[in-house]
Amino acid sequence: MTFALETRALEKQFGGLKVTCDLSLGIAPGARHAVIGPNGAGKTTVINLLTGVLKPNAGRILLEGHDITDLPVHTRVRRGLSRTFQINQLYADLTPRETIGLVVSERLGHGGDWWRRLGTRDDVNAEIAENLARFHLLDVMNETTATLPYGKQRLLEIAVAIATKPRVLLLDEPAAGVPEGERHDILSAVAALPRDVTVLLIEHDMDLVFSFADRISVLVNGALLVEGAPDEVARDPRVKAVYLGEAADA
């Protein structure tokens, strides 16, 4: 099987500190795959390696069977790999409608004159409306991003990632910092992501992980400790020992 996203013996080192150790992961097409682990396990480093923010010291990264290890970030996006961030990377002065319009226009090759074209192209307008509706943003579509509740900002970032039309989407803690009262929309938006998009989720929230993922990889000290179905991972004594803080059976 050709994986949607794969790492082979991936390693990353900062000075004398090795933060990713001989990591081999295979994310199946259409999967809902979560990567979990305690603080310092190297989860964010892995997502930065996958997206090209960091370069590995060793190993390879393959997207749908094609080696992308040395490709820059923007080329990976054009190849179908997109992501969200732990901290929003949004244009504070734009509205959700303008933000999605910019992304869609850029993808369709109209980025240079998107201001003039916004509102005049039926294909762009239809896609903007679809994304705003899918991510519960219609009620705030004309408000500047800086004034939006944090939960709405998180939804907008997921909408931006989907607007790039990814085949593989990396979600870096989408519920991080979202108040309890706004979490339902985040959880439902993640659950409703298109099934033709393979999703890799990095997340601390175990309720989200176990309600979303069909496969889980557990990292400890940059290395793969356990991988399997959610119920298998939950029962594994090694996971209880190093992640849940429980003593493993002798």
Side-chain angles (χ1 to χ4, degrees), residues 216-235:
I216 297 175
S217 300
V218 183
L219 298 188
V220 175
N221 297 325
L224 181 63
L225 176 71
V226 174
E227 185 174 280
D231 57 342
E232 297 171 343
V233 170
R235 293 194 306 265

Side-chain angles (χ1 to χ4, degrees), residues 12-249:
K12 181 61 181 179
Q13 189 167 332
F14 296 103
L17 178 64
K18 186 174 285 188
V19 293
T20 305
C21 306
D22 194 30
L23 182 63
S24 294
L25 295 173
I27 315 301
R32 294 322 191 224
H33 195 125
V35 173
I36 66 174
N39 289 333
K43 302 182 297 296
T44 295
T45 298
V46 169
I47 206 168
N48 285 334
L49 289 168
L50 292 173
T51 54
V53 175
L54 294 174
K55 298 298 183 185
N57 295 101
R60 313 305 296 170
I61 302 168
L62 287 81
L63 178 65
E64 298 177 326
H66 301 285
D67 193 324
I68 62 168
T69 310
D70 299 320
L71 296 182
V73 173
H74 68 276
T75 304
R76 298 184 197 211
V77 173
R78 290 173 180 165
R79 294 280 186 95
L81 178 65
S82 191
R83 72 172 291 184
T84 64
F85 293 81
Q86 286 186 31
I87 300 173
N88 287 332
Q89 307 289 309
L90 298 168
Y91 294 107
D93 294 334
L94 297 184
T95 68
R97 177 174 175 267
E98 291 167 344
T99 301
I100 299 300
L102 172 60
V103 177
V104 173
S105 296
E106 179 65 28
R107 197 194 75 239
L108 295 176
H110 308 309
D113 60 350
W114 75 282
W115 281 107
R116 182 173 62 81
R117 291 177 178 270
L118 187 62
T120 64
R121 291 183 57 96
D122 290 341
D123 54 345
V124 173
N125 290 339
E127 197 167 328
I128 293 171
E130 179 184 355
N131 275 282
L132 292 172
R134 171 181 286 166
F135 295 103
H136 315 290
L137 293 166
L138 286 173
D139 58 329
V140 296
M141 66 178 183
N142 292 317
E143 299 180 21
T144 57
T145 295
T147 66
L148 299 181
Y150 192 63
K152 292 290 189 181
Q153 293 183 24
R154 299 299 284 179
L155 286 167
L156 178 57
E157 187 161 31
I158 300 173
V160 166
I162 288 296
T164 67
K165 292 292 187 182
R167 293 186 299 281
V168 179
L169 175 63
L170 311 181
L171 296 175
D172 192 358
E173 298 193 33
V178 178
E180 189 63 33
E182 300 174 27
R183 289 172 56 79
H184 174 74
D185 283 348
I186 300 290
L187 300 181
S188 64
V190 170
L193 288 170
R195 291 301 306 190
D196 60 348
V197 177
T198 301
V199 181
L200 178 62
L201 172 72
I202 307 287
E203 184 56 66
H204 281 293
D205 187 317
M206 291 299 98
D207 289 337
L208 175 55
V209 168
F210 282 93
S211 66
F212 175 78
D214 49 41
R215 193 163 185 83
I216 297 175
S217 300
V218 183
L219 298 188
V220 175
N221 297 325
L224 181 63
L225 176 71
V226 174
E227 185 174 280
D231 57 342
E232 297 171 343
V233 170
R235 293 194 306 265
D236 194 296
R238 295 167 293 176
V239 176
K240 294 179 180 179
V242 301
Y243 189 78
L244 302 177
E246 301 178 14
D249 295 336

